[in-house]
Amino acid sequence: LPVSLLERFLDGPPAAFCTTVHGYEGAGRSFDVRFRGSLADSDRDVTDARLDEPIRYAAGDPVESWAFRALLLDARPPVDQLVADATPESVEYETLSPERLLADEHLLREAFGLLVLAHYRTEPDDLARLLDAPNLTCRALLHEGRVVSVALLAREGGLREETRERVYRGDRIRGNMLPDVFTSQLRDREGGVAVGYRVMRIATHHAVRSGGLGSRLLSAIEAEFREDGGRDADLRGERVDYLGVGYGATPELLDFWRENGYRTVHLSTTKNDASGEHSALMVRPLTDSGADLAARHAEWFRERAPGVLAGPLSDVDPDVIRGALRAVDDSALPEEPALSERDWRVVVDAANGMGSYHAAPAAFTELALRELILGAAGLDSDEERLLVEKVLQNREWDDVAVDLDRVSTRMTMRAFGDACEPLVETYGTETAKEHRAYWD
């Protein structure tokens, strides 16, 4: 069950939640990773009951003990005390090659244990991929020899023309998530040309989370590729055009990746099976080829946003939409809003309580997108949510008033007019400002 569904139970009568949280047990990890935070923030009295004694086998069963060791089911990150004083300045950036991990089982257990604890779904194959897959590489931050942050990177792209054509015609290509989406879903015939490294997983020890170590690791990865002329030294030695990532979008994660220079190029219209969230794809260009790829997909994302936000994404959390749009490269926007004189009169009149949103909805949509990407008008978070729900997701006024906890529908409409005023001041033409003076 996705976390979003679990959270809805918190609004109902008392409930019992039962899950496995350790080992290869599907999405049960998301309970610990995310749902416990929702429980802590709720007004519920929570009672924890823990079962450690096995049901399916005797305690201490030798076959089970062997399986745990062979598949690293008992892998754990370092104990808190050993890494609690780690800072971005105290750590060392290192490549964890398969050879090094196999030669040091303690290091392997710390790195893999950190990846398992921070991810929703881990399979036995993941250990094999870490040690065997030819397109994977691992980077980590070590504090006094202990793993405090780790990233698993997958090489993607650089596809031959015939492969790209097969994908364009509908074939799937495993191990190339971003090029596959670019080519098959977004219809970019050149989407698999550039070579990228996707951050499959990134995890920081819980004892030092929110201390800047994840950002420090990402910046070190980027610096490594840039200093090597964009070339990856431990795999194919080819030029790397971009870094990318795909994940279940939440406001917090969108902010994290945006602050690290990654820009939104896609927001899926269906929910991810593992996270229960809509997946965001983001790109950090490293070369001109990577910049071209990122720029055209940012522009296409901005162009299709009005259609998908008012359609399949109309019920998505407005804070997710705000985060995804704020992370769009502003070069995807036209230099000036394409509003006619009449459009501006409608917007100005709405700001003064006389105009109707429905008189020129496309004009409001263009201004809302511009502001949510640029943030130049300085709207507060409530005003931005209002633009998302009413203008971009096309919700009814009554529903918007309820969703945003407004006093009434009339007050919500008045707040919408107030939010339009700084849009006119920031993006309006001279004619628009002259018409505003008419109301003054």
Side-chain angles (χ1 to χ4, degrees):
L1 300 179
V3 170
S4 57
L5 178 57
L6 298 182
E7 289 172 340
R8 288 164 57 186
F9 283 107
L10 297 179
D11 294 329
F17 300 93
C18 182
T19 183
T20 52
V21 294
H22 181 60
Y24 296 114
E25 298 285 358
R29 281 293 305 142
S30 62
F31 187 93
D32 256 5
V33 174
R34 288 188 46 216
F35 184 57
R36 281 194 181 277
S38 299
L39 279 176
D41 293 339
S42 73
D43 57 1
R44 295 285 191 171
D45 292 325
V46 180
T47 300
D48 251 327
R50 179 183 175 99
L51 175 66
D52 289 304
E53 185 172 345
I55 294 175
R56 294 172 295 182
Y57 50 86
D61 180 273
V63 175
E64 191 69 16
S65 298
W66 173 86
F68 262 64
R69 181 175 175 81
L71 300 177
L72 291 191
L73 286 165
D74 55 350
R76 289 283 191 275
V79 296
D80 296 3
Q81 296 90 326
L82 294 176
V83 300
D85 57 347
T87 67
E89 295 73 32
S90 73
V91 294
E92 295 182 0
Y93 173 68
E94 298 192 22
T95 296
L96 301 185
S97 66
E99 294 76 17
R100 185 176 178 195
L101 291 171
L102 284 169
D104 187 342
E105 186 174 332
H106 188 76
L107 185 68
L108 172 61
R109 286 178 170 276
E110 288 190 352
F112 192 66
L114 197 54
L115 289 169
V116 169
L117 286 177
H119 200 260
Y120 303 129
R121 179 170 293 172
T122 300
E123 302 172 346
D125 282 355
D126 291 327
L127 177 59
R129 293 189 188 102
L130 175 64
L131 298 174
D132 258 355
N135 68 321
L136 295 190
T137 184
C138 190
R139 300 295 189 272
L141 298 178
L142 272 61
H143 174 71
E144 298 178 353
R146 303 287 183 172
V147 179
V148 292
S149 191
V150 61
L152 193 60
L153 311 177
R155 179 225 180 256
E156 299 187 333
L159 304 178
R160 294 178 299 178
E161 183 177 359
E162 56 266 32
T163 303
R164 300 198 307 271
E165 185 63 23
R166 288 204 323 270
V167 176
Y168 189 80
R169 290 176 174 271
D171 285 356
R172 303 303 303 272
I173 177 166
R174 292 177 63 85
N176 281 262
M177 187 183 83
L178 295 181
D180 185 274
V181 172
F182 293 154
T183 305
S184 64
Q185 293 185 35
L186 303 180
R187 314 309 295 159
D188 181 1
R189 285 186 179 271
E190 305 302 309
V193 173
V195 174
Y197 272 79
R198 175 169 57 91
V199 184
M200 285 182 62
R201 296 190 187 181
I202 183 168
T204 298
H205 197 291
H206 66 271
V208 286
R209 204 166 289 159
S210 302
L213 289 169
S215 297
R216 165 78 171 84
L217 179 56
L218 288 175
S219 66
I221 292 169
E222 179 180 344
E224 175 192 346
F225 289 134
R226 288 192 186 279
E227 288 168 7
D228 288 342
R231 299 183 186 279
D232 176 49
D234 65 322
L235 285 177
R236 306 182 184 209
E238 60 194 344
R239 190 171 187 83
V240 180
D241 298 303
Y242 66 90
L243 298 171
V245 66
Y247 59 92
T250 65
E252 297 77 17
L253 286 176
L254 286 160
D255 286 347
F256 170 79
W257 288 103
R258 175 178 58 81
E259 290 166 1
N260 282 283
Y262 288 69
R263 294 293 174 256
T264 309
V265 292
H266 183 57
L267 191 62
S268 71
T269 55
T270 57
K271 291 184 177 182
N272 181 278
D273 288 339
S275 68
E277 309 288 354
H278 293 268
S279 294
L281 302 189
M282 304 178 81
V283 168
R284 173 70 165 160
L286 301 179
T287 67
D288 290 343
S289 178
D292 290 343
L293 174 74
R296 67 177 178 267
H297 279 277
E299 182 178 359
W300 294 345
F301 177 68
R302 192 266 307 169
E303 289 174 350
R304 68 178 175 272
V308 295
L309 292 177
L313 298 179
S314 60
D315 61 346
V316 173
D317 180 354
D319 285 336
V320 168
I321 305 302
R322 290 172 60 221
L325 290 174
R326 186 54 47 83
V328 171
D329 191 332
D330 58 19
S331 66
L333 287 168
E335 197 167 313
E336 300 291 339
L339 272 65
S340 66
E341 271 192 41
R342 175 188 170 275
D343 288 337
W344 278 117
R345 286 202 308 273
V346 172
V347 176
V348 171
D349 292 347
N352 288 277
M354 294 299 296
S356 168
Y357 156 75
H358 295 291
F364 290 96
T365 297
E366 180 158 350
L367 288 177
L369 280 173
R370 180 169 292 268
E371 173 57 18
L372 289 162
I373 292 172
L374 296 177
L379 300 187
D380 63 30
S381 56
D382 282 343
E383 290 170 324
E384 289 185 351
R385 292 185 189 101
L386 183 53
L387 290 184
V388 171
E389 291 208 13
K390 182 57 200 170
V391 178
L392 300 182
Q393 295 181 316
N394 197 27
R395 301 186 188 183
E396 297 295 331
W397 283 114
D398 290 346
D399 295 335
V400 175
V402 172
D403 289 342
L404 300 181
D405 293 326
R406 297 282 181 176
V407 174
S408 66
T409 299
R410 182 179 295 275
M411 291 295 290
T412 303
M413 297 172 73
R414 183 176 299 174
F416 179 78
D418 292 341
C420 290
E421 188 169 343
L423 300 182
V424 176
E425 177 63 29
T426 304
Y427 306 114
T429 61
E430 288 303 316
T431 302
K433 293 174 183 177
E434 288 173 5
H435 186 59
R436 190 185 65 175
Y438 164 82
W439 290 104
D440 296 339

